[in-house]
Amino acid sequence: MSKAYSSRQPQIADPLLQGATGRSAAIVWGLLLARWMSPTEGTVEGDTLWLTSLTLAAAAGFCWWKSRVALERLRFEKLDIAVWFLCSGHILSSLIVILTEGNKRAATNMLWEWLAVAVTFSLIRQTITLQSRTRFLETVLVITTALACYGIWQPAFWYPANILEYDKVMAELESVESSPDMPSQERAKRQMELRAECVSLGIPLSGPAQQLFERRLRDSREPLGFFALTNTLASFMTVAVVLLAGTLLNVLLPSRAGSQSTELNNRGLVCVLTTTLLLVVYCLVLTKSRSAWGGTLAGLGALICLFFIRTNSGTAFRKLIPIVAIGIVTISLLAGVAITTGALDKEVLTEASISLSYRLEYWTSAWDVFLDHPLFGTGPGNFRDNYLRHKLPQSSEEIADPHQFILDVAANAGLVGLAGLVAFLACIGWYVWQLCRSCKKTPNVNADGGNDSNCFQPASIRTVIGAAALLIVAGEWLFSGSLAFSVLTVCMVALGIAGLIDVSLRRSSSSSISPVELPIPAVAVAASLVAIFVHLSAAGGIAMPAVIGLTLALSSVLSVDAKKESMAGGKKEPQAATSAAVASVSAQDYQQSQNLPWLVAALFSGLTAMGCTLTAFSPVIRTTSLLQLGDYDAINGQPARTVVSSYRSAAKADTLTPEPYIHLSQFHLHQWQQTRDHTYFDQSIQAAEQAQALSPNSPQIAHELGYAWLVRARESSIQNEEAIAEAVTGLQKALQMYPTNPLWTAETSQALALAGTSDEASRLARRALELDEINRAAGHVDRYLPDELLSDMKRLAGK
């Protein structure tokens, strides 16, 4: 058992102090839950920086309040060291990118995100105790069940509504473009309006990208929740299934060896738990996430094994057989319903080997990325730029993470971050070992830590959900001008589920005096961690604040459960300040010794909150708004000086991001194509060079620069030797960074042909045709060469 730097927590007798304790914990938990109702995949772009700044500011207030009441010392044990080591590896890697070269904006954003992850974990560690751990897990269960309901609703109603909206916009756009009776000026105005609407909806307007978008829109039916990827939602469903299954087992089966019934063995409670479990399982089935299914099976297997190790009861074993049989039949029926309704297809199972082959391709290239940057990694947010250099020709996606949590940490944070991950996993394994070896002394499965209602009242669940809803709704209203009605609806559903559980618990309880809590066993928490790690072994998400936050919170609960088992087994928790030590110093000195760590933590959190706001949140939000304004003005035909002014203001607002210069380069290039004024072309090149200086490792920016020169070389009335030479240099540089891109290979071949290097142009043309054949065989529609370019490659290759 690691040394604990906390004195014994006293009972809170002051009602005002008791309320403040509950509210502070509710705010901390609300900050964690708010991550589950926002697109956590957008952290690299800075979409959740407002939550990051708010988290750091809340941490400053929390630590300052702790220094005033001085209830206990700052808890910092082996688990805390491991987690901070893991997060510090990513922070250090981000700093190296900022100080050297790479995408500095992405690195800066992720630096603050990883710091917020570490701080959030520390806050959770201070608020989850033996008395409050069950309330926290109940909150997790009601929120995840509400997310499951939302996920079930999406394929039935949300996707059809989006398809209708897409069809309506595209039909109107096609009608306007083909209408012979509409005046040209009115037609142009309406076209610009409809194109602006398509851009705001994220709809590509032409080419393979539009075909891929339409295919995904019509063929996809996977629930997303509030996330951008279904695998992220599946992570939460996996955890919820295991926790609910463990709780249901604890209610149905004897909790002590030799007992014949449990205190809360009630039909109403069983009915509520079974219903919530079925909802979560059905949502998990709809996600079609094979890695999540495997993680759930592994978690349920670990749950059963740990349950029997803890109970050591033959009666429990005999009762478990029909429960497992009923569970298998029920899951089969749910899968049948999903197949009948079209939400699940047989290809999900038959194409499992193809999905695995894709993962192996990702891992192979990610391993090469790690070998290129073994010590500190590529830096968070910079993986894709380095991955494209090693991407295999047959790989389907230009992935942003390796889709495997160990490789993710190794590639992004190097050996430093990997050491922290190993230490974290070792702590989890140690806690599970403590739960197993203490079974003879403490056979009770329900490690809820006792029932002390003085610390956290049942109403806290409503407070936590309300705090999370308020944060998200306020954020949406402030930064997008819209109200998040879906978030409010999900939170209302969560409150309803919490009410049902509370009513069933009160009717099940044999005592009307003691508080009623859901019997969530410690083995269910351990098994849920097994489930999520198995899932993340073949899926991305370990670097997403919502997913890593859930994982770290569960580990904090597990540490509390393991500590209880250690104390129940006869071991006394080491105290940092014994009564003799306290007697040897004055009361004032002892008070200061407790306050100082909290004050230091408050100062640190306050400074980091200011740093995050000034270096990340404020510049990102201003730049994003200005870029959107510039794009809207460009599509709607506003004067060029207005568009350029917005883009240049965006560049001044954020001096780390290359995005404004990319927009400027593309806009000036379009102006040159319209007017043939070489001043615009020079401005396009200058903007592209500025973007490349900010992100020198980006293949896309290198290609933008080379492609601009290629356009100039193609459209010159006479051969432009300078343009041809610059095009060859730029495109070859981009191709070195991304050698398996068929389009870039073909363009480089064309540039070499213009330069008169026929042999090299022919070689690259054959390579482009080879890559195109690989993509067509694999069905990667978005990577096909256009027909005109394909014919040109055949000509250059001599076919």
Side-chain angles (χ1 to χ4, degrees), residues 384-399 697-703 730-746 748 764 767 771 775 780 782-783:
R384 175 179 285 163
D385 288 347
N386 291 273
Y387 168 80
L388 295 179
R389 189 183 299 272
H390 300 282
K391 179 180 174 294
L392 299 177
Q394 66 273 24
S395 292
S396 61
E397 296 180 49
E398 298 172 358
I399 56 173
N697 297 329
S698 172
Q700 287 82 3
I701 296 177
H703 175 260
L731 290 174
Q732 284 182 331
K733 180 179 180 181
L735 194 60
Q736 288 176 356
M737 296 180 178
Y738 191 176
T740 58
N741 189 307
L743 179 61
W744 295 7
T745 305
T748 307
L764 283 181
R767 175 60 174 166
L771 292 172
N775 285 314
H780 303 327
D782 57 322
R783 303 181 63 78

Side-chain angles (χ1 to χ4, degrees), residues 163 166-167 170 203-204 208-220:
I163 293 175
Y166 171 78
D167 289 340
M170 297 307 294
I203 300 175
Q210 184 183 6
Q211 298 175 12
L212 183 62
F213 177 87
E214 185 171 345
R215 189 176 70 174
R216 287 180 174 175
L217 181 63
R218 298 189 186 280
D219 297 343
S220 298

Side-chain angles (χ1 to χ4, degrees), residues 438-624:
S438 61
C439 62
K440 295 182 179 180
K441 297 181 179 179
T442 56
N444 190 1
V445 178
N446 181 16
D448 60 2
N451 292 323
D452 187 354
S453 61
N454 288 333
C455 183
F456 220 60
Q457 296 292 340
S460 60
I461 296 179
R462 296 191 291 271
T463 306
V464 173
I465 295 174
L470 179 63
L471 287 172
I472 295 298
V473 171
E476 287 285 337
W477 183 75
L478 288 173
F479 305 122
S480 67
S482 61
L483 287 176
F485 290 107
S486 55
V487 172
L488 292 174
T489 302
V490 168
C491 289
M492 292 298 294
V493 172
L495 291 174
I497 295 170
L500 288 175
I501 293 176
D502 187 60
V503 169
S504 62
L505 280 169
R506 293 184 182 279
R507 290 183 177 180
S508 305
S509 178
S510 61
S511 172
S512 60
I513 300 175
S514 61
V516 186
E517 291 185 340
L518 200 61
I520 306 175
V523 292
V525 180
S528 67
L529 284 168
V530 172
I532 197 169
F533 281 128
V534 172
H535 168 50
L536 293 179
S537 295
I542 191 66
M544 299 176 189
V547 178
I548 187 65
L550 172 64
T551 306
L552 296 180
L554 291 174
S555 70
S556 182
V557 174
L558 185 62
S559 70
V560 170
D561 292 337
K563 184 182 296 184
K564 179 198 173 185
E565 297 299 335
S566 178
M567 295 174 64
K571 295 182 179 181
K572 294 184 178 180
E573 182 183 5
Q575 302 296 331
T578 62
S579 56
V582 174
S584 64
V585 297
S586 66
Q588 181 177 2
D589 291 339
Y590 179 61
Q591 182 79 4
Q592 290 177 351
S593 68
Q594 285 194 319
N595 290 349
L596 184 59
W598 288 110
L599 288 173
V600 172
L603 179 62
F604 172 78
S605 300
L607 291 175
T608 54
M610 292 176 57
C612 178
T613 302
L614 295 175
T615 65
F617 170 56
S618 179
V620 165
I621 192 172
R622 284 187 292 161
T623 298
T624 301

Side-chain angles (χ1 to χ4, degrees), residues 73 154 173 210 233 249 251 286 339 349 437 482 551 613 636 714:
R73 287 189 177 181
Q154 286 180 318
L173 181 60
Q210 184 183 6
L233 177 65
L249 281 179
V251 172
L286 293 181
I339 294 174
L349 297 178
R437 72 173 184 174
S482 61
T551 306
T613 302
N636 283 278
R714 284 172 175 170

